[in-house]
């Protein structure tokens, strides 16, 4: 019977044994691999015995001789390293963390704005000077308009008094 368009693949998840499991011998490696590894160790031991006669040169060769890419790339498996749990007493209270570029720029922007607003209140910025000049001009115009209104009001009252007479 058909099971649809796609077939299920017979692959499962892979399991990699840790160095601790390998040392303890509890890893789930195939038995043939254990035999190959034992044979490889025997060869190394025989080479070391013969190498002791020749001196230190052979020891350097065995250290350099590694399987696959081990000699080319030395990588620490980050998955094997257990994360350290930091406790509150272990943390340095005086230690300051470095800010990211965006955070630094944001702080600088806020400080610059605060500095500008302080200068603005004191009237030291160019914009503040212009605002103060404009305010003085408006006050002067309002005073003149108020005086004019007072004079007109006084003139109207005087006309009323003269009209009654």
């Amino acid at each position: 019977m058909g099971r649809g368009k796609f077939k299920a693949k017979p692959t499962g998840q892979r399991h990699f044994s840790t160095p601790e499991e390998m040392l303890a011998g509890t890893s789930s490696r195939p038995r043939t691999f254990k035999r190959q590894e034992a044979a490889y160790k025997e060869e190394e031991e025989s080479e070391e015995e013969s190498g002791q006669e020749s001196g230190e040169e052979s020891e350097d060769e065995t250290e350099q001789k590694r399987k696959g890419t081990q000699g080319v790339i030395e990588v620490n498996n980050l998955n094997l390293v257990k994360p350290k749990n930091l406790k509150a007493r272990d943390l340095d209270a005086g230690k300051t963390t470095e800010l990211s570029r965006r955070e630094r720029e944001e702080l600088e922007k806020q400080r610059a704005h605060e500095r500008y607003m302080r200068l603005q209140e004191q009237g030291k910025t160019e914009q503040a000077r212009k605002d103060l000049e404009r305010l003085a001009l408006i006050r002067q115009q309002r005073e003149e308009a108020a005086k004019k209104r007072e004079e007109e009001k006084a003139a109207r009252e005087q006309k009323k008094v003269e009209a009654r007479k």
Side-chain angles (χ1 to χ4, degrees):
M1 291 200 144
R3 294 180 184 245
K5 186 176 178 181
F6 301 105
K7 294 182 181 177
K9 295 192 170 57
T11 58
Q13 292 193 354
R14 296 187 173 124
H15 175 72
F16 297 98
S17 51
T18 62
E20 291 83 22
E21 290 176 341
M22 291 173 69
L23 291 174
T26 58
S27 65
S28 58
R29 296 180 298 176
R31 296 181 193 276
T32 56
F33 184 75
K34 288 182 181 178
R35 288 188 207 130
Q36 290 174 355
E37 190 176 72
Y40 180 73
K41 285 183 181 178
E42 289 176 9
E43 290 176 13
E44 282 185 355
E45 289 174 5
S46 63
E47 287 178 8
E48 287 178 10
E49 290 173 4
S50 63
Q52 289 175 355
E53 296 170 1
S54 63
E56 295 179 10
E57 296 174 7
S58 62
E59 290 177 14
D60 293 336
E61 292 173 9
T62 56
E63 288 177 12
Q64 292 177 356
K65 189 176 183 182
R66 293 181 182 171
K67 282 189 173 181
T69 59
Q70 290 178 349
V72 179
I73 304 170
E74 293 184 18
V75 177
N76 293 330
N77 189 347
L78 298 176
N79 294 328
L80 297 178
V81 178
K82 293 182 181 177
K84 294 181 179 178
N85 293 329
L86 295 176
K87 296 186 179 177
R89 66 172 182 259
D90 297 338
L91 293 175
D92 280 338
K95 184 178 178 183
T96 58
T97 58
E98 292 187 25
L99 300 174
S100 68
R101 179 184 57 83
R102 288 183 180 171
E103 291 172 337
R104 261 187 281 118
E105 288 176 356
E106 186 68 27
L107 281 175
E108 290 172 6
K109 187 177 177 183
Q110 287 176 356
R111 289 179 184 150
H113 183 69
E114 289 172 4
R115 190 178 330 110
Y116 180 77
M117 293 308 288
R118 262 187 267 122
L119 292 173
Q120 184 86 357
E121 288 174 4
Q122 296 171 359
K124 294 183 178 178
T125 62
E126 195 170 317
Q127 185 179 358
R129 287 187 201 120
K130 288 180 182 177
D131 290 343
L132 291 174
E133 289 173 8
R134 202 175 310 121
L135 285 172
L137 183 67
I138 291 171
R139 282 188 190 128
Q140 184 182 0
Q141 289 174 352
R142 287 182 181 169
E143 287 175 8
E144 290 173 1
K147 285 180 183 176
K148 192 175 182 181
R149 270 187 258 121
E150 290 288 326
E151 290 174 4
E152 287 177 0
K153 192 175 183 182
R156 267 189 258 130
E157 286 180 15
Q158 202 171 16
K159 281 185 181 179
K160 283 183 183 178
V161 172
E162 287 178 7
R164 288 185 187 167
K165 289 186 181 178

